[in-house]
Amino acid sequence: MTNKVNITTDTDAARVNEAVSAHIKLYRSQNKMSLDELSRRSGVSKGMLVEIEGCRANPSIALLCRLASAMNVSVADFVKVAGRPAVHLIGASEIPVLWKGEKGGSARLLAGTSGPDMIELWEWVLYPGETFESPGHPEGTSELLYVSSGTLTLVVSDTTYVISSGGAAVARTDAPHAYMNSGTEVTMFTMTVHEKGR
């Protein structure tokens, strides 16, 4: 299993770190909120928030999700792939890789709506033996998954589901869950996440 959940490329990491830092500073300023209060709301330590605001941390997807939820925005808002006008075009070079597996897998956030009621579109590639684990999203979050190649093993609350190529699933992911490639082929899947605002 791989526990590597941080953003992986220098360009993506720098861009995401700067965007997250700017969003946190702006949010705290507009809401006259201390680091202590944001820490309490998000469950992210004050020390980590200081590192993130200073662009010295490389936040994981799970940490970005917790911060976005606490700030009533989406992760797509952080990385600037959220749609604002009637149509928002996103070039291939603007799509960030937010996770890189130890064997070459990746997760890219293709597009998303602005929060707090948000929808995100992800592209995942898992090489044989790779796993991505999530502690769970806010209550009521759902994911739609479509496997375009290989076989995806989805674990939600200790129950295992196997989705073959061409298959799809709908899952409530407000509980701990994981995506795994237990096979011998590369697994590719598309995922849409719907997270309800608080």
Side-chain angles (χ1 to χ4, degrees):
M1 288 182 28
T2 177
N3 293 319
K4 188 173 181 181
V5 295
N6 288 347
I7 300 159
T8 57
T9 64
D10 291 341
T11 303
D12 284 338
R15 186 174 82 189
V16 171
N17 290 347
E18 289 169 11
V20 172
S21 172
H23 271 84
I24 291 174
K25 288 175 185 174
L26 179 63
Y27 177 81
R28 288 198 323 103
S29 171
Q30 289 174 338
N31 293 281
K32 297 176 177 51
M33 183 182 293
S34 69
L35 283 170
D36 288 321
E37 178 61 16
L38 183 56
S39 174
R40 185 189 66 74
R41 287 187 186 187
S42 65
V44 176
S45 73
K46 181 178 175 181
M48 178 56 79
L49 289 173
V50 168
E51 292 295 306
I52 292 169
E53 277 198 6
C55 289
R56 295 181 300 272
N58 188 6
S60 68
I61 293 173
L63 190 139
L64 289 175
C65 290
R66 288 201 314 256
L67 283 173
S69 178
M71 295 167 55
N72 288 321
V73 299
S74 69
V75 174
D77 286 320
F78 282 154
V79 296
K80 301 188 192 279
V81 293
R84 286 179 181 29
V87 176
H88 176 113
L89 300 179
I90 303 161
S93 65
E94 299 174 85
I95 296 173
V97 174
L98 294 182
W99 175 82
K100 184 82 172 153
E102 293 176 351
K103 298 180 180 183
S106 63
R108 300 187 324 142
L109 177 54
L110 302 176
T113 60
S114 294
D117 246 351
M118 66 87 181
I119 300 171
E120 295 173 341
L121 178 63
W122 291 78
E123 176 187 75
W124 284 80
V125 177
L126 292 176
Y127 279 76
E130 286 186 323
T131 297
F132 175 83
E133 296 175 321
S134 172
H137 301 294
E139 187 176 345
T141 299
S142 295
E143 294 180 1
L144 309 176
L145 302 106
Y146 171 74
V147 178
S148 55
S149 67
T151 300
L152 174 65
T153 300
L154 172 66
V155 180
V156 180
S157 297
D158 297 325
T159 301
T160 301
Y161 307 88
V162 177
I163 310 161
S164 299
S165 180
V170 178
R172 282 232 5 217
T173 52
D174 51 9
H177 57 282
Y179 318 114
M180 305 164 65
N181 182 346
S182 302
T184 57
E185 301 175 38
V186 174
T187 297
M188 297 180 69
F189 66 99
T190 306
M191 176 178 71
T192 301
V193 180
H194 176 247
E195 184 178 300
K196 297 177 182 177
R198 299 197 257 161

